[in-house]
Amino acid sequence: MKTSRKRISWMICGVILIGLHSLVLAAVQPPNIIVFLTDDQGYNDVGCFGSPNIKTPNFDRMAAEGMLFTSAYVGSPVCGPSRSSLMTGSYPIRIAEPGNKKALHTIPHTKELMIPEVLKQAGYATAILGKWHAGDAKTKGHPLDQGFDYFFGTPKFNGVTKLIEESKVRAPLIRNREVVVKAIEQKEMDQLTTWYTEEAIQFITKNKEQPFFLYLAHNMPHVPLGVSDKFRGKSEGGFYGDVIEELDWSMGEILKTLKQLNLDGNTLIVFVSDNGPWIETGVIDDHAGHAEPLRGAKMKSWEGGPRVPCIMRWPGKIPAGKTSDAIVTTMDLLPTFAALAGEKLPADLIIDGKDILPLITGETDQSPHEYYYYYCYTDLQAVRDARWKLVLPRPAKPEWMNWWARMIDEVKTIELYDLESDVGETVNVAAQHPEIVERLKKQIESARIELGDAGTIGSGARFFDNGKKRPGIAKYKKWKAKQSAK
């Protein structure tokens, strides 16, 4: 049967229209988003951040092709609260928890709005590969109940000891809701980075035709450490260096996949650690990372705890090779991603993160944050502005913090540090700048009213359940009364 010229014309027009429609969709399609999160990686554990003996060519390439942030912070200097903060855009003390509790190790209420829920509403495919630890993945708070389409990883950490055989804790490995490894042992630990990377490549490839959000939350380098044979014994930075260099390989595989699939120019990648390195003499030793030139480490409010390595890359959108010292936080990811996806957050939702798109695209070099607050669990210990950091007095190892008190050191008097000239917090200049001390003390009080503190319920803290707010606060008040009586 012959086809009429008119029909052929319509067919040609149809093909042209379909092509134009595809071009329009490509032009308006929001970017793919990848958050590459490492666990307990120190500020100094990346080549471009100064590591002398750990080679990270792929992280370094990200910095050369994107923006490196030297004042990037997490919401808390410890794993679970930090991850909960990232997901919700809020300081952990603001986040609602089941039963109106405020645990030292935050467990978000299932009604908390999280990044994948926002992006899923915008049409994104969503996946988490790696460690969750922002809810109870075995019961309520499973990633699949918080907006993720796919989950392959562990619900939380796999122990707190240097060697896995010393640990009483064994995390399961879960695919969606099915337990595939009941208790991870060393042989599985050694393969986690490889497995997550392979899964990431599969997810990216499967979803190359639609916007996707990949939360690649590696278990490494949280102890107990694991590394595959292809990297074991290869780094000048020892076993810990082997682990970091395998993570760098993982980033390289992601970058290679994006290039091969022609997704590179429409993908924002954020590389960041969840907190500083776990440095505890006699416990972790040579299996820990490095925070130099920063003071302190994980579980501390000195800079080495919440200040982390961070690089963002988005070819053609983020200026290449630029370094920013503006304050940014992982809490900023939620509002920034929502803006990129064209989604408005609920008008009544108060969060602490800011949309930093103007900063990362080079429209401004100014941070939207006037202040950053250093919470150690629920304890408000310090505040900083663009230049100055005020540290409040505190006792060492306070009993009310239970196991987590082990890393808290004493501060006898108010301390002030000029972070522009003394990022290592070595010289207390409080006596020379009383007016700055008073200004920052007032800001501490403002945060205490809004967010709360160990003994204070903040007016802006969220509570979704009926009943008493923060019932456990009585323990702190009892301890505080005992201290005052001494």
Side-chain angles (χ1 to χ4, degrees), residues 68-229:
L68 184 149
F69 294 88
T70 55
S71 286
Y73 291 87
V74 292
S76 172
V78 67
C79 301
S82 171
R83 289 159 189 261
S84 299
S85 181
L86 184 157
M87 282 285 116
T88 63
S90 302
Y91 285 105
I93 198 165
R94 189 190 290 279
I95 298 171
E97 298 193 38
N100 291 340
K101 294 180 181 178
K102 175 36 59 190
L104 294 182
H105 216 277
T106 314
I107 302 173
H109 198 287
T110 54
K111 291 183 180 179
E112 280 286 346
L113 182 68
M114 296 192 175
I115 290 174
E117 294 173 288
V118 175
L119 296 181
K120 190 175 178 66
Q121 188 172 323
Y124 278 68
T126 59
I128 169 176
L129 305 172
K131 184 174 119 176
W132 175 226
H133 217 187
D136 188 346
K138 292 185 289 184
T139 54
K140 294 180 180 179
H142 191 285
L144 299 188
D145 298 326
Q146 298 286 174
F148 283 109
D149 299 320
Y150 181 69
F151 171 45
F152 177 68
T154 64
K156 56 181 181 179
F157 55 88
N158 195 45
V160 293
T161 57
K162 177 177 175 179
L163 303 177
I164 195 167
E165 57 265 27
E166 300 170 344
S167 176
K168 297 178 181 178
V169 177
R170 290 289 190 281
L173 185 64
I174 300 172
R175 188 184 304 280
N176 291 329
R177 298 185 191 275
E178 179 186 357
V179 175
V180 293
V181 176
K182 186 176 180 180
I184 291 178
E185 301 294 343
Q186 190 63 54
K187 64 181 184 297
E188 289 91 14
M189 290 291 291
D190 289 340
Q191 296 304 314
L192 286 183
T193 298
T194 297
W195 287 344
Y196 293 157
T197 305
E198 292 171 347
E199 291 267 347
I201 291 170
Q202 291 174 22
F203 174 78
I204 292 169
T205 304
K206 179 181 177 182
N207 295 283
K208 62 182 179 180
E209 301 297 336
Q210 70 177 106
F212 61 78
F213 169 56
L214 172 60
Y215 181 40
L216 181 50
H218 282 287
N219 288 67
M220 296 299 124
H222 190 297
V223 291
L225 299 178
V227 70
S228 67
D229 289 341

Side-chain angles (χ1 to χ4, degrees), residues 1-106:
M1 178 182 290
K2 293 182 179 180
T3 305
S4 68
R5 290 183 180 178
K6 184 176 181 181
R7 186 175 179 185
I8 291 172
S9 297
W10 277 108
M11 289 171 66
I12 293 172
C13 288
V15 171
I16 293 172
L17 286 171
I18 290 170
L20 288 173
H21 180 64
S22 298
L23 288 172
V24 170
L25 284 178
V28 300
Q29 180 171 305
N32 308 308
I33 298 170
I34 298 174
V35 174
F36 189 106
L37 185 73
T38 55
D39 195 340
D40 292 3
Q41 184 173 3
Y43 190 83
N44 190 247
D45 293 334
V46 188
C48 54
F49 276 84
S51 178
N53 53 13
I54 299 176
K55 295 180 175 63
T56 57
N58 294 298
F59 292 141
D60 298 351
R61 174 190 158 194
M62 272 193 71
E65 298 175 348
M67 190 177 294
L68 184 149
F69 294 88
T70 55
S71 286
Y73 291 87
V74 292
S76 172
V78 67
C79 301
S82 171
R83 289 159 189 261
S84 299
S85 181
L86 184 157
M87 282 285 116
T88 63
S90 302
Y91 285 105
I93 198 165
R94 189 190 290 279
I95 298 171
E97 298 193 38
N100 291 340
K101 294 180 181 178
K102 175 36 59 190
L104 294 182
H105 216 277
T106 314

